[in-house]
């Protein structure tokens, strides 16, 4: 959460208030939790389209002839080979391998990169990038306040957006970005998202946010959607949330995301030694999916217990799944828990509710 006790407002705050959104303090910003029914908002994204305000996220630019080299050193990913117009999911870690944040890096031009950080970690990421870029011909510029970020997500997203842009969206691949106009507004159009569906994230000047939002929200079938729907959507898609599945006490390997650590890159990077040792060591725990057999939802922090009631793990995220029709959760299990175990439960307020262990994700679009 923000150190400032007064939460900030995104450029779309007045729009959310006028729509009757339930506004909450999230990562230091007043954000819409839901507008009406979080289940209806979730289902709109799965079957049609949902519109999200993500303007609390951070936009940090790195520019200069050695911007790529600076990012190769600062992050676990191999950034230099990225082509202009491509994006990459990666992480920034501490020297001990603990995750400071998970990020998306976009290459906008030969010497220009956009790093998108989680709202609660913008200052941490910015300060770490400034420190790690020392000695490189690269400039770090946090432009978070200058940008708004609007996401249109769902199977109808492309058809809807094509009504308002001449950008070649059908040619834009997943995890790619291009500049264009949307409803007369200059935008960076990225085919990325956090819902498990196709969709687009639109980076625009803060002053242009309200007009663009109102245009898209005015399309029949587009449903404004809040943080609750975004959370259940990403949970179904098995996507980690910083502060839940990822923390400074977690390495990418703990979260089953060791693939983002690129030891093959030529340059050294912060955390390489610790992560190399972790990659060779026996896993201390593993991240799994849980499906409840009953109707009570596991929640973050609830203990996972074995047949004798002994704790053997902890839930990191959990909620009823509108798509599956049953409660689901992600949890870390101790290494001692057998891979084929069938006798686990979650301690839900003193009652041991049986769960089945499943592979992630719970949902994958066709």
């Amino acid at each position: 959460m923000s150190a400032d006790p007064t939460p900030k407002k995104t450029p779309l705050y007045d729009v959310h208030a006028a729509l009757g959104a339930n506004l909450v303090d999230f990562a230091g910003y007043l954000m819409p939790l839901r507008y009406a029914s979080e289940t209806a908002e979730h289902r709109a994204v799965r079957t049609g389209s949902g519109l999200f305000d993500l303007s609390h996220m951070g936009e940090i630019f790195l520019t200069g002839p050695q911007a790529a080299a600076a990012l190769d050193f600062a992050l676990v990913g191999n950034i230099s080979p990225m082509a202009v117009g491509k994006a990459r999911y990666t992480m920034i870690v501490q020297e001990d391998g603990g995750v400071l944040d998970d990020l998306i890096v976009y290459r906008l031009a030969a010497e220009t990169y956009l790093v998108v950080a989680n709202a609660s970690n913008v200052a941490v990421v910015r300060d770490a990038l400034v420190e790690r870029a020392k000695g490189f011909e690269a400039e770090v510029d946090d432009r978070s306040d200058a940008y708004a970020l609007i996401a249109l997500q769902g199977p109808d997203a492309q058809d809807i957006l094509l009504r308002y842009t001449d950008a070649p969206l059908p040619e834009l691949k997943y995890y790619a970005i291009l500049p264009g106009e949307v409803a007369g507004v200059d935008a960076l159009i990225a085919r990325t998202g956090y819902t498990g569906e196709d969709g687009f994230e639109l980076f625009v000047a803060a002053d242009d946010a309200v007009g663009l939002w109102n245009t898209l929200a005015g399309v029949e079938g587009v449903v404004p959607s809040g943080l609750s729907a975004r959370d259940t959507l990403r949970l179904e898609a098995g996507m980690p949330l910083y502060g839940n599945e990822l923390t400074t006490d977690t390495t990418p390997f703990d979260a089953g995301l060791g693939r983002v650590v690129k030891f093959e890159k030529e340059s050294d990077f912060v955390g390489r030694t610790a992560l190399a040792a972790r990659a060779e060591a026996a896993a201390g725990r593993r991240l799994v999916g849980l499906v409840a057999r009953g109707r009570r939802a596991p929640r973050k922090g609830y203990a996972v217990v074995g047949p004798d009631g002994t704790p053997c793990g902890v839930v990191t995220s959990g909620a009823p799944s509108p798509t599956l029709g049953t409660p689901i959760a992600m949890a870390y299990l101790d290494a001692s828990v057998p891979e084929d175990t069938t006798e686990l439960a979650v301690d839900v307020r003193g009652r041991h509710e049986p769960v089945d262990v499943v592979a992630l994700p719970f949902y994958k679009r066709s």
Side-chain angles (χ1 to χ4, degrees):
M1 304 298 289
S2 170
D4 186 341
T6 303
K8 298 170 69 175
K9 297 176 180 179
T10 78
L12 292 166
Y13 170 83
D14 289 339
V15 173
H16 304 318
L19 289 171
N22 179 5
L23 293 158
V24 297
D25 184 348
F26 179 80
Y29 284 82
L30 284 172
M31 298 294 294
L33 185 66
R34 69 180 67 82
Y35 296 87
S37 163
E38 59 201 48
T39 300
E41 292 166 19
H42 177 111
R43 289 176 174 157
V45 176
R46 287 279 179 255
T47 61
S49 61
L51 193 64
F52 297 87
D53 177 13
L54 307 182
S55 303
H56 59 313
M57 302 289 281
E59 290 85 17
I60 303 169
F61 286 75
L62 270 78
T63 57
Q66 291 187 306
L71 287 168
D72 281 342
F73 174 70
L75 311 179
V76 302
N78 195 8
I79 305 304
S80 294
M82 286 175 60
V84 172
K86 296 299 183 182
R88 184 157 296 170
Y89 176 76
T90 187
M91 296 183 188
I92 185 168
V93 303
Q94 302 176 140
E95 285 283 4
D96 66 1
V99 178
L100 287 170
D101 202 12
D102 60 334
L103 312 164
I104 295 181
V105 177
Y106 301 91
R107 188 170 192 176
L108 304 181
E111 298 183 358
T112 303
Y113 294 82
L114 167 59
V115 177
V116 177
N118 285 298
S120 59
N121 294 329
V122 174
V124 170
V125 173
R126 179 194 63 229
D127 292 348
L129 289 175
V130 168
E131 180 63 29
R132 296 177 191 188
K134 290 179 178 177
F136 295 92
E137 291 184 71
E139 180 181 348
V140 178
D141 185 10
D142 181 357
R143 305 180 197 169
S144 301
D145 290 342
Y147 276 87
L149 179 55
I150 295 172
L152 183 67
Q153 297 280 300
D156 294 344
Q158 178 174 285
D159 289 342
I160 291 167
L161 207 57
L162 281 171
R163 303 180 194 179
Y164 301 102
T165 183
D166 293 329
L169 300 186
E171 301 170 18
L172 187 66
K173 303 297 185 182
Y174 188 50
Y175 264 65
I177 190 168
L178 55 74
E181 280 194 4
V182 180
V185 169
D186 289 334
L188 291 170
I189 307 168
R191 197 163 208 151
T192 46
Y194 194 52
T195 63
E197 296 296 337
D198 189 20
F200 301 88
E201 294 182 316
L202 309 173
F203 299 86
V204 300
D207 290 344
D208 291 330
V210 171
L212 180 57
W213 174 281
N214 287 338
T215 295
L216 296 174
V219 176
E220 184 178 357
V222 173
V223 177
S225 303
L227 293 173
S228 287
R230 190 164 183 252
D231 191 51
T232 51
L233 289 159
R234 70 90 193 168
L235 175 58
E236 289 183 349
M239 295 177 171
L241 175 65
Y242 195 87
N244 291 36
E245 289 71 44
L246 300 172
T247 69
T248 53
D249 295 323
T250 306
T251 72
F253 292 95
D254 296 324
L257 294 169
R259 65 184 181 276
V260 307
V261 182
K262 303 302 182 183
F263 294 116
E264 68 271 18
K265 62 181 174 179
E266 295 181 1
S267 66
D268 190 16
F269 62 91
V270 176
R272 177 191 276 274
T273 300
L275 289 174
R278 172 63 183 82
E280 296 297 324
R285 55 181 179 165
R286 67 184 189 277
L287 186 66
V288 302
L290 303 177
V291 176
R293 297 178 190 170
R295 307 307 302 173
R296 304 183 79 191
R299 298 291 184 178
K300 178 182 177 181
Y302 287 9
V304 182
V305 297
D308 61 355
T310 301
C312 59
V314 63
V315 173
T316 54
S317 298
S321 165
T323 303
L324 277 65
T326 190
I328 59 174
M330 288 194 279
Y332 278 112
L333 297 184
D334 298 343
S336 59
V337 179
E339 293 278 352
D340 60 352
T341 185
T342 59
E343 298 184 39
L344 293 182
V346 172
D347 187 336
V348 181
R349 299 192 185 95
R351 290 182 55 178
H352 290 181
E353 300 288 344
V355 293
D356 294 316
V357 179
V358 300
L360 295 170
F362 301 98
Y363 166 86
K364 192 171 185 179
R365 68 185 175 95
S366 59

